[in-house]
């Protein structure tokens, strides 16, 4: 292999000439590498391919056969281990459209109620995911899987969470009454639920300490980030800290449902070969019409007393939620997005105050955006 010169570019990825097949995004430099009848150029650690005009009248193809298959974008393995009732059905609808548009392999699962796996089940699932055609995006309701533990390549993880009480309420009423799709899916999902249980008043469930409205059932979000270890299902500091560690080390982005448009903007910036154009699709009236069909029906708001009890029972969930929210807002400020939340989350004023969010400006000496993304990918 012989190397050409290194070109400095900003804004969109540029080559020294010819037509380039780029997935999108921006780069800080481009190194031109001649190989196998095509030209590869490198943007921030990502290798793309340029063809045709560099070859001219060369007989290279005649001597060496057809060019190699296209260079995969990076990352080419993404896992969205979606948290239940956190907007995941809306995102999956978007992914189905995007996979057709951008040509990536969307791998979904029909298993919705098995988030905790035995060791053998983990190995089998990781094997199946790892052998999927790349680039792929795998999505399923499943607690964090450590691919490297079983000798696999660790994929890039993404996820979205929401205010824990709002998530709980959405799930409580969805299990009983479904959504606007009109297919009686709540009867299919909970066929054995007795009528008295289906119409159980939310305040009674909370105040009378029914199992559905108390721990460990309320410890729901953290295990998706903590993992498959048995202690990840026990409400406490151990699971909380492990979940935070995994967010830092294995998740490219964990967004907040209350700010979904900004989540989509950042996903498009970080993973353009999967999410380019996602916001315009999301804002399309036809897609909005489909998305509205997944809204849970017959939701009611519990009393302030009941909500306060929920907050007390979900204190670890809230510590994790506020941690993720701070990290998300830090990313937004880093990329020039301001936080705009249309409605404040349900929160009684007399309860534990929200931790102060850091509003100090980003230090000028911090790494630029492209370098920061490059470091994330190198993990």
């Amino acid at each position: 292999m012989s190397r050409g010169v290194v070109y400095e570019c900003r804004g969109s990825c540029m080559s020294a000439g010819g037509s380039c097949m780029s997935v999108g995004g921006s780069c800080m430099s481009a190194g031109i590498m001649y190989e196998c009848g095509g030209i590869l150029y490198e943007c921030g650690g990502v290798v793309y391919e340029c063809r045709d005009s560099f070859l001219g009248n060369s007989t290279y193809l005649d001597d060496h056969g057809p060019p190699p298959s296209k260079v995969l974008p990076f990352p080419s393995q993404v896992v969205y281990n979606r948290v239940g009732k956190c907007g995941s059905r809306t995102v999956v609808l978007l992914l189905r459209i995007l996979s057709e548009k951008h040509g990536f392999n969307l791998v979904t699962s029909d298993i919705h109620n098995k988030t905790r796996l035995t060791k053998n089940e983990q190995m089998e699932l990781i094997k199946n995911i790892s052998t999927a055609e790349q680039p792929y995006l795998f999505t399923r309701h499943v607690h964090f899987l450590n691919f490297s533990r079983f000798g696999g390549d660790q994929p890039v993880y993404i996820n979205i969470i929401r205010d824990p009480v709002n998530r709980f309420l959405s799930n409580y009423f969805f299990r009983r009454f479904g959504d606007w799709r009109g297919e009686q899916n709540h009867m299919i999902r909970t066929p054995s639920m007795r009528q008295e249980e289906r119409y159980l008043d939310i305040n009674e469930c909370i105040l009378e300490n029914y199992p559905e409205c108390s721990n460990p059932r309320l410890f729901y979000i953290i295990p998706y980030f903590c993992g498959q270890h048995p202690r990840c299902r026990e409400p406490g500091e151990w699971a909380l800290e492990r979940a935070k560690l995994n967010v830092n080390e294995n998740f490219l982005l964990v967004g907040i449902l209350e700010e979904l448009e900004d989540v989509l903007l950042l996903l498009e910036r970080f993973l353009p070969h999967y999410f380019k154009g996602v916001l315009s699709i999301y804002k399309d009236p036809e897609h909005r019409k489909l998305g509205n069909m997944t809204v849970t029906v017959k939701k009611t708001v519990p009393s302030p007393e009941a909500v306060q009890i929920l907050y007390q029972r979900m204190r670890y969930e809230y510590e994790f939620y506020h941690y993720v929210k701070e990290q998300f807002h830090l990313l937004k400020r880093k990329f020039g997005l301001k936080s705009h939340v249309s409605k404040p989350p349900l929160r009684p004023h007399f309860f534990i105050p929200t931790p102060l969010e850091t509003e100090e400006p980003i230090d000028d000496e911090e790494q630029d955006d492209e370098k920061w993304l490059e470091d994330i990918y190198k993990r």
Side-chain angles (χ1 to χ4, degrees):
M1 180 189 300
S2 61
R3 289 185 177 273
V5 295
V6 175
Y7 295 87
E8 186 73 13
C9 63
R10 298 185 182 275
S12 61
C13 291
M14 302 171 61
S15 68
S19 58
C20 297
M21 295 182 290
S22 168
V23 186
S26 58
C27 69
M28 295 304 297
S29 65
I32 307 299
M33 301 177 291
Y34 298 82
E35 183 180 21
C36 301
I39 291 179
L40 306 180
Y41 72 97
E42 193 169 1
C43 291
V46 185
V47 179
Y48 301 98
E49 187 169 7
C50 304
R51 297 183 188 275
D52 299 331
S53 58
F54 277 96
L55 299 178
N57 297 320
S58 169
T59 60
Y60 189 93
L61 291 181
D62 297 331
D63 296 336
H64 296 81
S69 58
K70 66 178 181 179
V71 177
L72 290 171
F74 186 84
S76 60
Q77 302 170 82
V78 178
V79 171
Y80 171 31
N81 64 320
R82 51 196 182 117
V83 181
K85 305 311 297 175
C86 289
S88 63
R89 283 182 295 159
T90 296
V91 176
V92 169
L93 283 174
L94 291 168
L95 285 170
R96 286 173 181 161
I97 298 170
L98 291 166
S99 65
E100 292 289 330
K101 184 177 181 181
H102 299 315
F104 64 85
N105 183 18
L106 178 62
V107 184
T108 59
S109 174
D110 294 328
I111 302 173
H112 302 290
N113 298 313
K114 190 173 179 57
T115 57
R116 308 163 185 176
L117 309 177
T118 66
K119 184 177 179 180
N120 287 337
E121 288 171 337
Q122 292 178 56
M123 293 174 64
E124 186 65 23
L125 180 57
I126 288 172
K127 178 182 176 182
N128 290 339
I129 296 172
S130 300
T131 55
E133 181 184 354
Q134 298 181 27
Y136 70 73
L137 190 151
F138 174 77
T139 177
R140 172 179 164 176
H141 294 300
V142 64
H143 295 168
F144 175 78
L145 293 163
N146 189 343
F147 282 57
S148 58
R149 179 189 176 196
F150 301 100
D153 294 330
Q154 190 71 1
V156 164
Y157 272 85
I158 58 173
N159 217 321
I160 301 172
I161 65 173
R162 71 190 290 189
D163 180 275
V165 164
N166 287 336
R167 194 221 68 82
F168 164 75
L169 294 176
S170 180
N171 185 65
Y172 182 89
F173 292 104
F174 177 73
R175 290 183 68 246
R176 287 161 169 76
F177 308 114
D179 52 33
W180 288 105
R181 287 178 292 179
E183 59 188 34
Q184 297 295 307
N185 58 354
H186 58 293
M187 299 298 292
I188 298 171
R189 191 175 296 272
T190 54
S192 61
M193 184 178 283
R194 302 187 305 275
Q195 285 297 94
E196 58 269 28
E197 183 182 358
R198 191 174 301 280
Y199 291 95
L200 175 65
D201 180 74
I202 183 67
N203 289 303
E204 182 181 352
C205 183
I206 297 168
L207 298 175
E208 298 297 324
N209 203 25
Y210 280 72
E212 186 178 358
C213 298
S214 59
N215 280 319
R217 296 282 186 89
L218 297 179
F219 194 70
Y220 183 86
I221 297 175
I222 287 176
Y224 276 87
F225 300 87
C226 178
Q228 298 289 335
H229 194 285
R231 291 186 68 182
C232 288
R233 303 191 290 272
E234 300 172 4
E237 292 288 338
W238 189 91
L240 170 64
E241 293 305 317
R242 182 161 175 157
K244 289 180 181 178
L245 182 65
N246 276 334
V247 166
N248 293 336
E249 293 187 349
N250 294 292
F251 283 79
L252 178 63
L253 176 69
V254 182
I256 302 296
L257 182 62
E258 292 86 354
E259 302 170 45
L260 181 58
E261 287 193 11
D262 288 340
V263 176
L264 298 178
L265 276 171
L266 289 178
L267 284 171
E268 184 171 5
R269 179 68 184 269
F270 296 167
L271 301 169
H273 41 289
Y274 293 95
F275 287 96
K276 186 176 182 180
V278 64
L279 199 57
S280 61
I281 298 172
Y282 173 71
K283 290 183 174 181
D284 184 272
E286 289 302 313
H287 179 269
R288 283 296 179 98
K289 200 178 298 181
L290 284 173
N292 289 338
M293 298 298 288
T294 64
V295 176
T296 302
V297 299
K298 296 188 179 181
K299 282 195 291 189
T300 60
V301 178
S303 68
E305 180 187 4
V307 172
Q308 185 179 23
I309 290 174
L310 281 180
Y311 270 92
Q312 291 168 342
R313 292 174 182 171
M314 303 172 81
R315 61 187 181 276
Y316 293 113
E317 293 274 275
Y318 269 98
E319 187 172 341
F320 181 73
Y321 173 74
H322 291 311
Y323 176 81
V324 167
K325 190 174 182 180
E326 282 192 0
Q327 299 300 310
F328 180 63
H329 283 175
L330 178 64
L331 278 181
K332 285 175 59 174
R333 292 198 300 275
K334 195 174 187 72
F335 287 91
L337 299 177
K338 294 182 179 179
S339 297
H340 296 290
V341 183
S342 56
K343 291 182 180 179
L346 182 64
R347 185 181 303 281
H349 68 278
F350 50 81
F351 194 66
I352 302 171
T354 303
L356 291 176
E357 295 175 5
T358 55
E359 293 296 339
E360 57 270 5
I362 302 299
D363 190 89
D364 290 336
E365 294 181 0
E366 286 197 14
Q367 298 169 325
D368 57 58
D369 297 347
E370 287 75 12
K371 184 64 167 61
W372 178 84
L373 278 176
E374 182 181 327
D375 289 344
I376 286 284
Y377 289 155
K378 283 180 178 177
R379 292 179 188 172

